[in-house]
Amino acid sequence: MVPKACVLTARNDFPRTARLLAAADFAAVFASPVRQQSAWFRVQALRRADGNARIGLAVSRKVSTRAVARNRLRRLARELFRLQRASLAGWDLVVMAKPAAVAAEAAALRADLARLYARIAALNPTGTAGTMAPSSRPAPVEPDSQP
């Protein structure tokens, strides 16, 4: 019997359509990205016309010569993306790990990557002026200028 924690639901699975697979997809993101970075990761994102979020991972041997370490970073980034995919709708992301990430604890890496994903998700989705999404707070009321 499979534990409930291991069962993927339709909401948070990781289908092939959620992955950047072709070199042309990566090239499009690298051509004109929105960039966010931290001590351990660099994320480049490109706005998509449809509402799907996709991820590509670029963890080279410069990060670590050990495949086990590189795969650990890939798995962590992929899992966090899978869980937060709904909030990243409409973005193509390329996540690149930095060499310092190899020595970091998994919890710290997750928190760091979650902050980067949240920054990307908060960017203006409408394409209007400015970079931040509209605030949910009401606009301040200006006092009358009459004496």
Side-chain angles (χ1 to χ4, degrees):
M1 182 169 165
V2 177
K4 282 187 177 182
C6 295
V7 177
L8 294 177
T9 64
R11 266 194 349 257
N12 64 2
D13 62 348
F14 191 60
R16 190 170 177 85
T17 58
R19 305 174 200 166
L20 291 177
L21 299 172
D25 294 335
F26 280 87
V29 174
F30 288 133
S32 58
V34 172
R35 294 179 179 95
Q36 295 290 332
Q37 68 178 347
S38 65
W40 294 313
F41 292 100
R42 178 178 297 118
V43 178
Q44 295 191 359
L46 179 67
R47 195 60 149 138
R48 292 177 49 87
D50 66 1
N52 293 330
R54 300 188 306 171
I55 188 171
L57 301 166
V59 183
S60 72
R61 273 185 260 158
K62 290 181 182 179
V63 172
S64 174
T65 57
R66 298 181 59 227
V68 171
R70 295 192 309 272
N71 290 337
R72 172 182 168 255
L73 296 173
R74 286 186 192 111
R75 278 193 313 272
L76 191 138
R78 199 170 27 243
E79 178 67 9
L80 200 56
F81 174 81
R82 184 185 67 79
L83 295 173
Q84 296 187 2
R85 194 174 87 189
S87 68
L88 293 165
W91 290 100
D92 276 351
L93 306 175
V94 175
V95 177
M96 295 169 281
K98 295 181 178 180
V102 173
E105 295 289 324
L109 291 171
R110 279 189 198 95
D112 187 54
L113 200 50
R115 274 191 302 274
L116 291 175
Y117 287 165
R119 281 191 222 161
I120 295 288
L123 292 175
N124 187 359
T126 62
T128 59
T131 58
M132 295 300 294
S135 174
S136 59
R137 294 187 298 169
V141 177
E142 296 193 21
D144 291 335
S145 60
Q146 297 177 357

